[in-house]
Amino acid sequence: MAKITWTHTDEAPALATKAFLPVLKAFTKGTGIEIDVADISLVGRIIANFPENLTEDQKIPDYLTILGDMTQKPDTIIIKLPNISASVPQLMGAVKELREKGYDIPMYPEEPKTDEEKALQKRFSVVIGSAVNPVIRQGNSDRRPAASVKKFAQKNPHRMMKPWPESGSKAAVVHMNDKDFYANETAMTMDKACDVKIEFVDKAGNVTVLKEKLSLLKGEVIDSTHMDVAALREFYAEQIERAKREDVLLSLHLKATMMKVSDPIMFGHCVSVYYKDALEKHAGTLKEIGANVNNGLADVLAKLNKLPAEKKAEIEADIEAVYKTQPALAMVDSRHGITNLHVPNNIIIDASMPNIIRDGGKMWNSNDELQDVIAMVPDRCYATFYEEILEDAKEKGQFDPATMGNVSNVGLMAAKAEEYGSHDKTFEAKAPGVIRVVDDAGTTLLEQHVETGDIFRMCQAKDEPIRDWVKLAVKRARESGSPVVFWLDENRAHDREIIKKVNAYLPEHDTTGLEITIKTPREAMKYSLKRIRRGEDTISATGNVLRDYLTDLFPILELGTSARVLSIVPLLKGGGLYETGAGGSAPKHVQQLVKEGHLRWDSLGEYCGLVPAFKQIVEQTGNKKAAVLEKTLDQAIEQYLENGKLPSRKVNEIDNRGSTFYLTLYWARALAAQDDDAELKARFAKLAEDLGKNETTITEELLAAQGQPVDLGGYYMPTEKATKVMRPSTVLNELIDSM
């Protein structure tokens, strides 16, 4: 029996699963394929980490650890849907909801004072940020749109692209020019395996161990760097003045959910610089009530509820007064006054920056109108390529989804490669001194001279994943005939070490007739944009963070959403991880469902991810029914696209549930029409006929469920109410459930 493990995650993808999973289980019944479900949602991760106070009914296994173990087995197949990489405010919201539902989970200690509270905060740390991906991504990433999806997108270009103004644009991407992570980076490749520790040495020579033990392998690339926060704050102040001078919106683009230690601190510095007058005036009071700018202005405002009404009103008035003297902030939700600095997880760089390009260099202002924006991306490791694409669009005009070429990605991410694995090695300097990486012989390998508040970060990239990444890049170049560009900058210490390895490992492969080059992110972007505008395809080979950013940037421009991109992760041990969609817009989708009964999440990523999963089963077991399911699902996806059955953004039009129905109908018809398996043909002939016969009734039932608010029974942990919301067609349910 072959097994596909489907991940239960969060928000819109989890709700869509309630509609599609019953179909998948029904279609695979009796085929020798079992569909298993693993709960790696935010609440699932919390529950698994705090079993001691829960009843037996409330406990669930630690599925994340189970999936991590499974990645080491060659027959593993995981369908991975987007999950919440929780920020602290999201974590606290999830805990609050669990406690309201009778789960005795402890409150998260925001500012731990006792040893017990510090231990509790450390225990929660495994739940927040990118807790999931480093555990299960034990392979490198092959991320691209399926051929049928790209073909459809060119034939039916999305209508979200807005023109860049011919009169010129004041839009800009701005970054630091010194003293950032890029400038301060040092790196080396280990010539032998050893254990290291991270220490802080103050000016008096006192040593504090920040990380006791880190085991490194021979050939592993390690690097250290720090962000100079005095320079960071100066940068923010300069951009605030520029935005005011040029009368444009100001926005900040970080990824606090992924860089869960460094980016919230950088976010907090921006909040404190922008709202300086109000926050400094009331610094003592705000400290007393535990207001934390790293959690955004929303946390400050929420903590004001601890104060007497008069004092609360005084501080609120002073905060409101800031807007009269400072430049306007880009808005997340102008109707509710939610700005770009409200909550750190509202603006996620990989989803927000492509939208600026798509919207002609603009973001939304407080009048709910698009306005030119200055986008602050402080660190130069990644800011320069965003700057390049924005300047290109300014000069040459908007990209055309009907003709533009594709930039797919081969991403180095196996074994926690690069910054994803750095949370446990990121520290805020408590005083001036040196933070150093010392080996077990007492030799200092890397060091950073820091001032109070500076952010130190150490990262790792193991040799085996790098070698596999180069191999995968060559394989994709050979299969696609497209050139591969390694986005690596020899002026960046980390990249210099990686370049040495790329140059060493490329000769291990036959690269005859292939175009494989190494370019800085800025030059790689220039090269790719020239090809895009000529309708030519290019493969980007990048590290982990760039992989994350680029695989949202290009698909959002080409396809309208990165949710339609196929992400195949051939696991190092031979199994397969098939990632689906992108969750950046998932919260907005849930908000619309609750308000209007319409879920616009597109499950195309899930459908597409199943095709190579079935293929893996065929290759590993010879299961002929899996081969039929693979072929017919591919045909159904093509029909789904050709007939335009993707979810609409508007209420009272087709949504995710209607899309799921049509995928089901087309798949059943394809199975009924094939002649490779008589048993499947006979089994699906009646279903195809019944679905077709009842098409009008089913679509009417699905549309009737829209147009009014719905109750999901919870946000982080929806109840059975959500299942009823996602399966409102009695006729469809009876046909599927009777199989």
Side-chain angles (χ1 to χ4, degrees):
M1 176 75 75
K3 184 166 82 172
I4 294 174
T5 302
W6 186 278
T7 54
H8 168 66
T9 58
D10 305 281
E11 297 175 327
L15 292 166
T17 286
K18 293 180 186 299
F20 182 57
L21 200 57
V23 173
L24 180 59
K25 286 183 171 179
F27 275 53
T28 52
K29 192 176 175 183
T31 62
I33 300 168
E34 179 191 348
I35 307 295
D36 203 14
V37 179
D39 184 350
I40 56 168
S41 65
L42 175 54
V43 291
R45 303 194 310 267
I46 295 169
I47 292 167
N49 274 284
F50 292 93
E52 64 274 18
N53 294 349
L54 304 179
T55 66
E56 287 306 311
D57 287 349
Q58 290 174 330
K59 289 177 190 176
I60 64 168
D62 182 356
Y63 283 112
L64 186 53
T65 299
I66 292 167
L67 289 183
D69 293 341
M70 283 170 58
T71 62
Q72 303 305 302
K73 296 171 185 169
D75 60 347
T76 290
I77 300 173
I78 300 169
I79 302 286
K80 158 67 172 66
L81 280 69
N83 60 277
I84 292 176
S85 296
S87 62
V88 169
Q90 286 173 306
L91 172 70
M92 292 169 73
V95 169
K96 181 173 180 281
E97 187 173 318
L98 280 167
R99 288 170 68 88
E100 285 166 356
K101 288 179 173 168
Y103 286 77
D104 188 12
I105 304 288
M107 295 294 287
Y108 175 77
E110 274 186 275
E111 295 183 7
K113 293 180 176 65
T114 66
D115 287 346
E116 190 183 0
E117 285 177 342
K118 284 172 187 170
L120 184 56
Q121 189 185 60
K122 191 176 179 184
R123 195 169 167 189
F124 268 114
S125 71
V126 302
V127 173
I128 59 178
S130 52
V132 171
N133 294 335
V135 175
I136 62 175
R137 282 178 170 165
Q138 297 304 313
N140 291 312
S141 163
D142 172 7
R143 198 157 161 78
R144 53 196 149 95
S148 57
V149 174
K150 179 64 178 171
K151 195 168 124 193
F152 172 79
Q154 290 184 312
K155 208 164 145 188
N156 304 275
H158 68 88
R159 299 191 187 96
M160 287 182 275
M161 301 296 254
K162 295 181 176 69
W164 279 73
E166 287 180 24
S167 58
S169 165
K170 292 181 186 174
V173 173
V174 292
H175 53 73
M176 297 170 71
N177 289 311
D178 195 18
K179 300 183 179 179
D180 54 355
F181 287 127
Y182 178 94
N184 293 321
E185 194 168 67
T186 58
M188 64 180 288
T189 299
M190 301 300 297
D191 57 7
K192 65 176 193 293
C194 72
D195 290 342
V196 299
K197 58 186 169 185
I198 304 175
E199 298 176 336
F200 169 66
V201 187
D202 69 15
K203 295 284 190 187
N206 300 307
V207 178
T208 306
V209 176
L210 300 176
K211 189 164 183 70
E212 191 65 56
K213 182 183 172 186
L214 192 62
S215 297
L216 303 176
L217 302 174
K218 184 182 177 183
E220 187 163 356
V221 174
I222 62 167
D223 45 280
S224 77
T225 186
H226 78 276
M227 169 62 74
D228 181 320
V229 299
L232 175 69
R233 292 177 69 87
E234 200 177 307
F235 163 75
Y236 286 146
E238 285 167 2
Q239 302 318 314
I240 287 168
E241 284 309 309
R242 177 178 168 178
K244 208 185 326 185
R245 192 169 62 245
E246 297 185 10
D247 192 26
V248 294
L249 296 178
L250 184 73
S251 63
L252 174 65
H253 302 265
L254 296 167
K255 191 159 187 176
T257 53
M258 182 174 87
M259 313 295 200
K260 68 181 179 184
V261 179
S262 60
D263 280 25
I265 297 170
M266 290 164 69
F267 188 91
H269 281 296
C270 191
V271 173
S272 69
V273 172
Y274 183 88
Y275 294 98
K276 184 170 179 259
D277 291 351
L279 299 183
E280 285 188 359
K281 180 181 173 184
H282 300 286
T285 305
L286 294 172
K287 190 178 179 186
E288 275 174 37
I289 59 175
N292 186 352
V293 288
N294 293 4
N295 292 335
L297 182 69
D299 187 78
V300 177
L301 295 173
K303 295 286 167 55
L304 296 182
N305 290 322
K306 295 180 179 179
L307 297 171
E310 199 176 314
K311 187 66 179 170
K312 178 188 173 187
E314 182 195 341
I315 298 176
E316 282 177 338
D318 286 338
I319 288 170
E320 203 56 38
V322 167
Y323 298 116
K324 294 183 175 70
T325 59
Q326 296 286 54
L329 291 173
M331 304 300 290
V332 172
D333 185 343
S334 55
R335 284 160 301 178
H336 297 100
I338 309 296
T339 77
N340 177 270
L341 297 182
H342 212 71
V343 182
N345 51 278
N346 268 350
I347 294 281
I348 298 174
I349 186 170
D350 42 343
S352 59
M353 285 306 301
N355 289 349
I356 291 177
I357 309 299
R358 186 195 69 189
D359 291 342
K362 300 171 189 290
M363 289 180 75
W364 297 98
N365 64 22
S366 57
N367 296 324
D368 217 16
E369 295 164 345
L370 284 168
Q371 184 179 339
D372 286 355
V373 68
I374 286 178
M376 297 185 290
V377 182
D379 181 42
R380 281 171 297 157
C381 292
Y382 310 109
T384 56
F385 78 84
Y386 283 126
E387 185 179 25
E388 195 57 51
I389 190 170
L390 184 134
E391 294 303 325
D392 180 273
K394 251 192 199 180
E395 184 192 335
K396 300 187 177 97
Q398 191 56 278
F399 298 91
D400 182 355
T403 59
M404 67 190 289
N406 168 254
V407 180
S408 57
N409 182 263
V410 174
L412 170 62
M413 68 177 194
K416 305 181 183 179
E418 278 193 27
E419 290 88 343
Y420 264 114
S422 71
H423 311 310
D424 59 340
K425 300 177 287 292
T426 302
F427 303 97
E428 191 174 17
K430 301 297 179 200
V434 175
I435 298 180
R436 64 191 187 188
V437 180
V438 183
D439 70 11
D440 38 21
T443 307
T444 297
L445 303 181
L446 302 168
E447 66 177 20
Q448 295 287 326
H449 291 263
V450 294
E451 297 298 324
T452 305
D454 285 355
I455 306 160
F456 169 92
R457 188 172 74 199
M458 177 191 171
C459 302
Q460 302 164 259
K462 293 178 175 59
D463 184 63
E464 184 195 3
I466 297 169
R467 192 185 286 260
D468 180 77
W469 173 57
V470 173
K471 176 181 156 190
L472 184 58
V474 174
K475 180 176 179 244
R476 286 293 302 127
R478 181 71 64 200
E479 287 172 353
S480 67
S482 298
V484 168
V485 181
F486 283 90
W487 293 47
L488 296 167
D489 183 352
E490 63 185 6
N491 294 314
R492 182 185 169 194
H494 166 88
D495 285 10
R496 268 199 304 278
E497 298 301 310
I498 303 290
I499 288 169
K500 289 177 199 169
K501 288 182 177 286
V502 171
N503 286 331
Y505 296 147
L506 276 173
E508 294 178 356
H509 309 282
D510 176 14
T511 57
T512 315
L514 304 181
E515 188 186 330
I516 298 176
T517 54
I518 297 172
K519 298 179 188 293
T520 66
R522 188 186 288 281
E523 290 304 316
M525 178 58 85
K526 270 186 189 168
Y527 173 84
S528 303
L529 292 176
K530 274 182 190 166
R531 293 181 58 83
I532 282 170
R533 290 192 182 277
R534 294 199 299 255
E536 297 167 346
D537 297 343
T538 316
I539 298 167
S540 59
T542 71
N544 206 2
V545 177
L546 258 177
R547 170 202 62 79
D548 204 49
Y549 294 175
L550 295 186
T551 56
D552 266 342
L553 174 63
F554 292 118
I556 285 173
L557 300 179
E558 291 173 53
L559 313 173
T561 171
S562 53
R564 292 176 191 162
V565 175
L566 188 60
S567 182
I568 299 170
V569 182
L571 297 170
L572 295 175
K573 301 297 183 189
L577 172 69
Y578 303 96
E579 297 189 281
T580 75
S585 57
K588 289 181 180 174
H589 293 192
V590 181
Q591 288 163 19
Q592 186 181 11
L593 176 65
V594 170
K595 189 179 169 187
E596 301 180 331
H598 179 93
L599 184 68
R600 70 175 192 261
W601 176 261
D602 186 358
S603 289
L604 182 59
E606 287 95 282
Y607 310 152
C608 289
L610 278 166
V611 175
F614 288 135
K615 187 179 182 182
Q616 184 184 325
I617 292 172
V618 178
E619 288 169 352
Q620 291 185 338
T621 68
N623 182 326
K624 289 179 179 170
K625 287 191 187 319
V628 174
L629 290 171
E630 177 203 351
K631 182 180 166 186
T632 53
L633 178 55
D634 204 30
Q635 291 167 345
I637 292 168
E638 213 162 305
Q639 282 289 299
Y640 168 82
L641 291 167
E642 283 300 320
N643 294 329
K645 298 304 181 185
L646 294 83
S648 163
R649 297 169 72 84
K650 294 178 184 170
V651 67
N652 298 322
E653 294 180 6
I654 187 170
D655 76 346
N656 178 275
R657 296 165 290 188
S659 296
T660 297
F661 161 64
Y662 278 105
L663 190 279
T664 306
L665 171 64
Y666 300 145
W667 196 6
R669 281 178 176 167
L671 282 160
Q674 55 81 33
D675 292 311
D676 296 324
D677 186 303
E679 187 189 339
L680 285 175
K681 185 181 179 78
R683 183 169 176 235
F684 283 93
K686 184 168 187 326
L687 179 66
E689 187 188 337
D690 289 344
L691 288 170
K693 200 165 58 184
N694 288 286
E695 179 181 354
T696 304
T697 308
I698 292 168
T699 53
E700 282 172 357
E701 285 183 316
L702 295 174
L703 283 170
Q706 295 191 40
Q708 58 274 326
V710 299
D711 179 6
L712 301 174
Y715 184 87
Y716 295 99
M717 194 183 195
T719 64
E720 195 55 36
K721 289 177 178 178
T723 306
K724 286 177 182 166
V725 167
M726 290 309 299
R727 299 191 76 201
S729 169
T730 311
V731 176
L732 178 59
N733 296 347
E734 282 173 1
L735 290 172
I736 296 302
D737 296 346
S738 65
M739 292 183 71

